[in-house]
Amino acid sequence: MILILVEGTDDEMFFNYVVRPKLAQTYDYIQIERYSEATKGEVNSILYDYFAMNATVEVQADAILVADLNASPCVTDRKERIRRGYRSLSGDTGIALGPHLSTRIFIVCREIESWYLAGLSDTECKRMGIATGLQNTDHLTKEQFLGLIPGKFNSRAEFMLEILSAFDHETARTKNSSFSYFMQKYGTDS
């Protein structure tokens, strides 16, 4: 079982279209929820309930909070800031977490938009009207992503859906190290 807490709508869409099918090769139950509009107390409750439900069974149950690096100087700093805000991510649940329960924070470098663009080959970039040559998207920001949207797309959402329809996992793994690490870490390398 795996619970993935993602920041917003774009993250949720990416995880449902791109990540969920790969996770289904490893996990029997996948729950993806947005947390950006929830209070910290609500997020702690979601995590508490998830762990309480799985504490008495010997099923592997992972919970991952996914966040963008944003302006943090490094991944360690970003994780620490998040841990301070969510007691359930610090192991402070009041539930004895056995070896079959785990909670993690995963940081997308730099922002989820970098994962979107990582999955486009040069051929797909040309087809869509995006400048080619993006060999590494690790440091791509939301603002840079918005600047790459070709005029033929009526909206950001339309552009993102088009990217998802052409997304290639292998290309993404070569262009974005945090995407590659996430896919490898959660047993999706089949």
Side-chain angles (χ1 to χ4, degrees), residues 105-177:
I105 299 170
F106 190 89
I107 305 300
V108 173
C109 295
R110 173 140 312 261
E111 300 182 40
I112 195 67
E113 289 81 1
S114 68
W115 283 18
Y116 274 84
L117 280 181
L120 292 180
S121 65
D122 282 347
T123 303
E124 284 299 327
C125 285
K126 284 179 191 172
R127 182 186 68 78
M128 293 175 67
I130 303 169
T132 57
L134 286 171
Q135 297 309 309
N136 184 299
T137 66
D138 287 347
H139 303 288
L140 187 94
T141 65
K142 186 182 307 287
E143 294 74 25
Q144 291 168 321
F145 177 85
L146 293 172
L148 292 172
I149 300 174
K152 69 181 185 179
F153 292 98
N154 294 320
S155 68
R156 179 174 179 267
E158 180 185 350
F159 179 56
M160 292 176 120
L161 285 170
E162 183 67 20
I163 290 172
L164 293 176
S165 71
F167 193 90
D168 180 71
H169 278 266
E170 293 310 312
T171 299
R173 289 175 189 218
T174 64
K175 289 185 175 184
N176 191 287
S177 58

Side-chain angles (χ1 to χ4, degrees), residues 11 57 81 126 144 163 177 179 189:
D11 308 71
V57 294
R81 289 174 190 230
K126 284 179 191 172
Q144 291 168 321
I163 290 172
S177 58
F179 176 78
D189 269 347

Side-chain angles (χ1 to χ4, degrees), residues 2 12 35 42 47 57 64 82 108 129 169 184:
I2 189 166
E12 182 179 38
Y35 68 87
E42 290 168 335
L47 288 165
V57 294
I64 307 165
I82 292 167
V108 173
H169 278 266
Q184 181 181 14

Side-chain angles (χ1 to χ4, degrees), residues 20-62:
R20 180 187 290 272
K22 293 291 185 178
L23 290 177
Q25 297 171 16
T26 304
Y27 293 94
D28 296 321
Y29 174 80
I30 303 162
Q31 180 180 346
I32 298 171
E33 294 204 23
R34 277 183 283 137
Y35 68 87
S36 62
E37 297 169 7
T39 66
K40 289 181 180 182
E42 290 168 335
V43 172
N44 280 316
S45 290
I46 290 168
L47 288 165
Y48 178 86
D49 292 347
Y50 179 76
F51 287 124
M53 176 179 73
N54 293 299
T56 59
V57 294
E58 290 297 320
V59 173
Q60 180 64 37
D62 296 317

